[in-house]
Amino acid sequence: SGQLSSSVHYTFQVVEFVTRKPPQDLVVLACRGNDVACADPSARFEDKSGTGLVELDLPFGFMGFFEVKSANTMPALSYLTRPVLGDKRDRDLQVTAASTVQALAAISGVPFDETKGIAMVEAFDCTKTPAAGVHFAESKGSSTAFYLLNHVPNAEITQSVYDEDNNVADGGFVNVLPGFVTFSARYGVDGPMLGEFNAAVRASTVTYIDMYF
Protein backbone atom coordinates (compact mmCIF):
# COMPACT_ATOMS: atom_id res chain seq x y z
CA SER A 1 0.00 0.00 0.00
CA GLY A 2 1.31 3.52 0.73
CA GLN A 3 -0.04 4.73 -2.59
CA LEU A 4 -2.68 7.43 -2.65
CA SER A 5 -6.03 5.79 -2.97
CA SER A 6 -8.41 7.29 -5.52
CA SER A 7 -11.21 7.16 -2.97
CA VAL A 8 -11.64 7.74 0.76
CA HIS A 9 -14.08 6.10 3.14
CA TYR A 10 -16.04 8.72 5.07
CA THR A 11 -18.46 7.86 7.86
CA PHE A 12 -20.56 9.80 10.35
CA GLN A 13 -23.52 9.13 12.62
CA VAL A 14 -26.77 11.07 12.17
CA VAL A 15 -28.94 11.59 15.26
CA GLU A 16 -31.92 13.80 16.08
CA PHE A 17 -30.93 16.81 18.23
CA VAL A 18 -33.28 16.11 21.15
CA THR A 19 -34.05 12.37 21.08
CA ARG A 20 -30.51 11.32 20.00
CA LYS A 21 -32.17 8.63 17.88
CA PRO A 22 -31.34 7.97 14.21
CA PRO A 23 -33.87 9.52 11.80
CA GLN A 24 -36.11 7.27 9.70
CA ASP A 25 -35.51 6.56 5.99
CA LEU A 26 -32.24 8.49 5.93
CA VAL A 27 -30.78 9.33 2.50
CA VAL A 28 -27.47 11.19 2.15
CA LEU A 29 -25.94 12.61 -1.03
CA ALA A 30 -22.35 13.85 -1.31
CA CYS A 31 -22.41 16.98 -3.49
CA ARG A 32 -19.52 18.99 -4.92
CA GLY A 33 -19.35 22.57 -3.66
CA ASN A 34 -20.28 24.06 -7.03
CA ASP A 35 -23.21 21.64 -7.53
CA VAL A 36 -25.62 23.69 -5.42
CA ALA A 37 -28.72 21.70 -6.40
CA CYS A 38 -26.82 18.41 -5.97
CA ALA A 39 -27.88 17.35 -9.46
CA ASP A 40 -24.82 15.11 -9.94
CA PRO A 41 -23.87 13.61 -6.55
CA SER A 42 -20.41 12.10 -6.07
CA ALA A 43 -21.81 9.40 -3.77
CA ARG A 44 -25.13 8.31 -2.30
CA PHE A 45 -26.07 6.46 0.88
CA GLU A 46 -29.41 4.95 1.91
CA ASP A 47 -29.79 3.83 5.51
CA LYS A 48 -31.40 0.43 5.04
CA SER A 49 -30.38 -0.81 8.50
CA GLY A 50 -31.90 2.14 10.38
CA THR A 51 -28.78 2.77 12.47
CA GLY A 52 -28.12 6.32 11.20
CA LEU A 53 -24.49 5.42 10.45
CA VAL A 54 -23.63 6.96 7.08
CA GLU A 55 -20.86 5.38 4.99
CA LEU A 56 -19.69 7.04 1.79
CA ASP A 57 -16.82 6.39 -0.62
CA LEU A 58 -15.71 9.82 -1.80
CA PRO A 59 -13.18 10.92 -4.40
CA PHE A 60 -9.78 11.71 -2.84
CA GLY A 61 -9.65 15.42 -1.93
CA PHE A 62 -13.44 15.77 -2.00
CA MET A 63 -14.74 19.23 -1.01
CA GLY A 64 -18.41 20.02 -0.87
CA PHE A 65 -21.42 19.24 1.26
CA PHE A 66 -23.73 16.42 2.28
CA GLU A 67 -27.45 16.71 1.59
CA VAL A 68 -29.20 14.83 4.41
CA LYS A 69 -32.89 13.98 4.20
CA SER A 70 -35.15 11.74 6.26
CA ALA A 71 -38.83 11.03 6.88
CA ASN A 72 -39.00 12.78 10.27
CA THR A 73 -36.42 15.57 10.26
CA MET A 74 -35.87 18.84 8.40
CA PRO A 75 -33.54 18.54 5.41
CA ALA A 76 -29.93 19.43 6.21
CA LEU A 77 -26.84 20.54 4.31
CA SER A 78 -23.58 19.72 6.08
CA TYR A 79 -20.54 21.51 4.64
CA LEU A 80 -16.95 20.30 4.57
CA THR A 81 -14.66 23.30 4.92
CA ARG A 82 -11.49 21.39 4.06
CA PRO A 83 -10.80 18.53 1.64
CA VAL A 84 -11.06 14.88 2.67
CA LEU A 85 -7.57 13.41 2.27
CA GLY A 86 -7.97 10.10 4.07
CA ASP A 87 -10.46 7.68 5.58
CA LYS A 88 -12.34 9.50 8.31
CA ARG A 89 -14.99 8.96 10.96
CA ASP A 90 -16.43 12.41 11.51
CA ARG A 91 -18.39 13.50 14.53
CA ASP A 92 -22.13 13.09 14.83
CA LEU A 93 -24.42 15.26 12.74
CA GLN A 94 -27.34 16.38 14.90
CA VAL A 95 -30.35 16.96 12.66
CA THR A 96 -33.59 18.47 13.89
CA ALA A 97 -37.20 17.36 13.72
CA ALA A 98 -39.57 20.15 12.60
CA SER A 99 -41.21 19.99 16.04
CA THR A 100 -37.79 20.57 17.64
CA VAL A 101 -37.24 23.68 15.51
CA GLN A 102 -40.62 25.11 16.53
CA ALA A 103 -39.91 24.35 20.20
CA LEU A 104 -36.44 25.92 20.02
CA ALA A 105 -37.90 28.94 18.21
CA ALA A 106 -40.42 29.36 21.01
CA ILE A 107 -37.64 29.17 23.63
CA SER A 108 -35.46 31.72 21.82
CA GLY A 109 -38.46 33.98 21.16
CA VAL A 110 -37.92 34.02 17.38
CA PRO A 111 -40.64 32.32 15.29
CA PHE A 112 -39.22 30.33 12.37
CA ASP A 113 -40.21 31.57 8.90
CA GLU A 114 -40.40 28.47 6.67
CA THR A 115 -39.50 30.49 3.56
CA LYS A 116 -36.08 31.03 5.14
CA GLY A 117 -33.33 28.78 6.44
CA ILE A 118 -31.40 28.00 9.60
CA ALA A 119 -27.61 27.82 9.91
CA MET A 120 -25.52 26.19 12.63
CA VAL A 121 -21.87 27.25 12.78
CA GLU A 122 -19.04 25.97 14.94
CA ALA A 123 -15.35 26.90 15.15
CA PHE A 124 -12.58 24.50 16.14
CA ASP A 125 -9.12 25.31 17.45
CA CYS A 126 -5.89 23.61 16.36
CA THR A 127 -6.57 20.69 18.75
CA LYS A 128 -9.95 20.15 16.97
CA THR A 129 -11.79 21.22 20.13
CA PRO A 130 -14.92 23.38 19.67
CA ALA A 131 -13.86 26.92 20.50
CA ALA A 132 -15.58 29.17 23.04
CA GLY A 133 -15.58 32.95 22.79
CA VAL A 134 -16.17 33.03 19.03
CA HIS A 135 -18.61 35.53 17.52
CA PHE A 136 -20.29 34.50 14.24
CA ALA A 137 -21.91 36.71 11.59
CA GLU A 138 -23.67 36.12 8.28
CA SER A 139 -23.41 38.38 5.23
CA LYS A 140 -27.14 38.79 4.48
CA GLY A 141 -27.59 40.31 7.95
CA SER A 142 -31.32 39.55 8.02
CA SER A 143 -31.40 36.73 10.54
CA THR A 144 -31.42 36.46 14.32
CA ALA A 145 -28.19 35.10 15.80
CA PHE A 146 -28.16 32.71 18.78
CA TYR A 147 -25.68 30.56 20.66
CA LEU A 148 -26.32 27.24 22.35
CA LEU A 149 -26.12 27.44 26.12
CA ASN A 150 -26.71 24.11 27.90
CA HIS A 151 -28.06 22.69 24.62
CA VAL A 152 -30.69 25.47 24.35
CA PRO A 153 -30.61 28.45 21.93
CA ASN A 154 -29.93 31.78 23.64
CA ALA A 155 -30.32 35.02 21.64
CA GLU A 156 -28.92 37.21 24.46
CA ILE A 157 -25.29 36.05 24.47
CA THR A 158 -22.89 37.19 21.73
CA GLN A 159 -20.26 34.44 21.54
CA SER A 160 -19.94 30.68 21.63
CA VAL A 161 -19.91 28.77 24.92
CA TYR A 162 -18.14 25.41 25.24
CA ASP A 163 -20.44 22.63 26.45
CA GLU A 164 -18.21 19.95 27.93
CA ASP A 165 -20.94 17.31 28.24
CA ASN A 166 -21.74 17.41 24.52
CA ASN A 167 -18.32 18.64 23.26
CA VAL A 168 -19.92 21.45 21.25
CA ALA A 169 -19.76 25.25 21.06
CA ASP A 170 -22.40 26.08 18.48
CA GLY A 171 -23.64 29.37 17.19
CA GLY A 172 -26.52 29.73 14.80
CA PHE A 173 -28.86 31.90 12.80
CA VAL A 174 -32.61 31.57 12.38
CA ASN A 175 -34.46 33.03 9.35
CA VAL A 176 -31.47 33.33 7.00
CA LEU A 177 -32.38 34.45 3.47
CA PRO A 178 -31.87 31.56 1.00
CA GLY A 179 -28.95 31.70 -1.44
CA PHE A 180 -25.21 31.96 -0.99
CA VAL A 181 -24.25 33.39 2.38
CA THR A 182 -20.79 34.16 3.78
CA PHE A 183 -20.42 33.09 7.40
CA SER A 184 -17.60 34.68 9.38
CA ALA A 185 -16.00 34.00 12.74
CA ARG A 186 -13.94 36.27 14.98
CA TYR A 187 -12.57 36.07 18.50
CA GLY A 188 -15.01 38.10 20.56
CA VAL A 189 -17.41 40.65 19.10
CA ASP A 190 -14.68 43.10 18.08
CA GLY A 191 -11.67 40.77 18.03
CA PRO A 192 -9.52 39.51 15.16
CA MET A 193 -11.18 37.77 12.22
CA LEU A 194 -10.56 34.02 12.25
CA GLY A 195 -11.98 33.23 8.84
CA GLU A 196 -15.06 32.97 6.69
CA PHE A 197 -16.84 30.41 4.56
CA ASN A 198 -19.38 30.69 1.76
CA ALA A 199 -22.30 28.24 1.91
CA ALA A 200 -25.71 27.78 0.33
CA VAL A 201 -28.81 28.24 2.47
CA ARG A 202 -32.16 26.76 1.43
CA ALA A 203 -35.67 27.44 2.69
CA SER A 204 -36.85 25.15 5.52
CA THR A 205 -33.40 23.55 5.63
CA VAL A 206 -30.64 23.57 8.25
CA THR A 207 -27.10 24.32 6.98
CA TYR A 208 -24.20 23.11 9.13
CA ILE A 209 -20.70 24.60 8.86
CA ASP A 210 -17.61 23.54 10.83
CA MET A 211 -14.74 26.01 10.61
CA TYR A 212 -11.16 25.03 11.50
CA PHE A 213 -8.45 27.51 12.45
Side-chain angles (χ1 to χ4, degrees), residues 155-167:
E156 304 297 312
I157 51 179
T158 57
Q159 50 199 38
S160 59
V161 178
Y162 182 63
D163 171 353
E164 202 168 344
D165 292 341
N166 296 293
N167 191 32

Side-chain angles (χ1 to χ4, degrees), residues 15-18 20 91-94 122 124 128-130 148-152 161-170:
V15 292
E16 204 281 320
F17 180 78
V18 171
R20 301 288 178 164
R91 35 189 232 135
D92 293 359
L93 177 66
Q94 300 179 22
E122 199 165 14
F124 294 81
K128 299 182 183 172
T129 306
L148 287 188
L149 184 62
N150 301 322
H151 220 56
V152 175
V161 178
Y162 182 63
D163 171 353
E164 202 168 344
D165 292 341
N166 296 293
N167 191 32
V168 293
D170 283 295

Side-chain angles (χ1 to χ4, degrees), residues 74 97-108 110-114 118:
M74 286 178 67
S99 57
T100 297
V101 169
Q102 296 302 346
L104 294 175
I107 293 167
S108 64
V110 182
F112 176 53
D113 176 350
E114 293 186 359
I118 293 172

